[in-house]
Amino acid sequence: MRPGRAVRGPVVGVGAIVPRDSGDGLEILLVRRRYPPFPGRWSLPGGHLEPGETILEAARRELLEETGVEAEPLGVAHIHELVAVGPGGLPEHYVIIDVLMRYLRGEPRGDSDAEEARFVPYREALRLPLTPGARVLLEMLPEILGSCTLKPIRTEALEEEPRAQE
C-alpha cells in the first residue's frame, strides 16, 4: 500500500472451512470469487459479519448463501488479516475469522458472491489459483484438522443469577 493512501475498515469477515471425506480422501469446499478482492481466484466460502450476528451464525449463513451447503459450526480455527483493493476500488483492511464446520448436507453450487463452488480434493486445491489467505489456511489444514477439538461456545448475560439447588 502506498504511504498516505486512506484505508477503509477494518471490515470483519468470516470464512467457512468445510472438509469432507469423499472415500478417496479429504476434500475441501472452495468457491471461485466473483468480486474484489481477488476476483476469479479460489477461496473459502464466506462474507461479512452482520451487526448483532455471532461469528458462528455468520459462517453458517454465508456458507448457505454462497454454496447451498449446510454445515455445523464447530469453532474458530484461524484468523488472518489483509489490506487489499475492495469492491469500491479503494484499499480496505479485512479481518477474516475462519470457522471449522462439520459438513451436513447439500451439493455446492455457486451463488451470491461465488461464480462457482465445489468440493475439491485437498492436493488438487493446493494447485489452484488461491487467494493469499486461502493458500495459507490450506497449507495449515492438516495441522488444524489434527489438533482441533473446538466446540461452539456462546456467552449471554443472564437476567438473574441461577439459584443453588437446595
Side-chain angles (χ1 to χ4, degrees):
M1 225 22 60
R2 290 192 332 241
R5 193 160 184 200
V7 176
R8 182 178 165 263
V11 176
V12 178
V14 295
I17 306 168
V18 186
R20 176 174 86 170
D21 183 359
S22 69
D24 291 328
L26 179 66
E27 296 178 325
I28 186 76
L29 181 60
L30 295 176
V31 296
R32 195 157 44 91
R33 294 183 56 81
R34 186 180 309 269
Y35 304 112
F38 311 112
R41 291 206 184 179
W42 291 88
S43 190
L44 299 172
H48 294 97
L49 180 68
E50 299 292 335
E53 187 175 44
T54 70
I55 292 163
L56 302 181
E57 289 166 350
R60 183 191 311 251
R61 176 187 53 76
E62 285 287 349
L63 174 66
L64 189 59
E65 286 177 8
E66 277 197 347
T67 69
V69 169
E70 293 180 56
E72 173 190 6
L74 300 174
V76 173
H78 184 254
I79 299 171
H80 68 279
E81 59 186 313
L82 71 123
V83 176
V85 175
L90 299 173
E92 295 192 25
H93 178 189
Y94 296 91
V95 176
I96 299 141
I97 303 164
D98 294 315
V99 175
L100 182 61
M101 313 279 283
R102 179 180 296 120
Y103 171 76
L104 297 175
R105 67 184 91 26
E107 284 305 313
R109 54 162 171 62
D111 203 356
S112 178
D113 296 341
E115 286 185 18
E116 184 180 352
R118 64 184 169 106
F119 278 100
V120 179
Y122 176 69
R123 297 213 182 279
E124 181 185 324
L126 292 171
R127 294 191 297 266
L128 291 173
L130 299 165
T131 63
R135 177 154 314 278
V136 168
L137 185 113
L138 288 179
E139 288 172 355
M140 294 172 35
L141 189 61
E143 180 183 343
I144 289 170
L145 295 177
S147 64
C148 277
T149 56
L150 301 172
K151 297 191 189 282
I153 297 172
R154 180 173 179 159
T155 60
E156 304 208 20
L158 299 175
E159 291 184 28
E160 62 181 70
E161 291 295 316
R163 292 183 219 167
Q165 296 285 339
E166 294 182 28

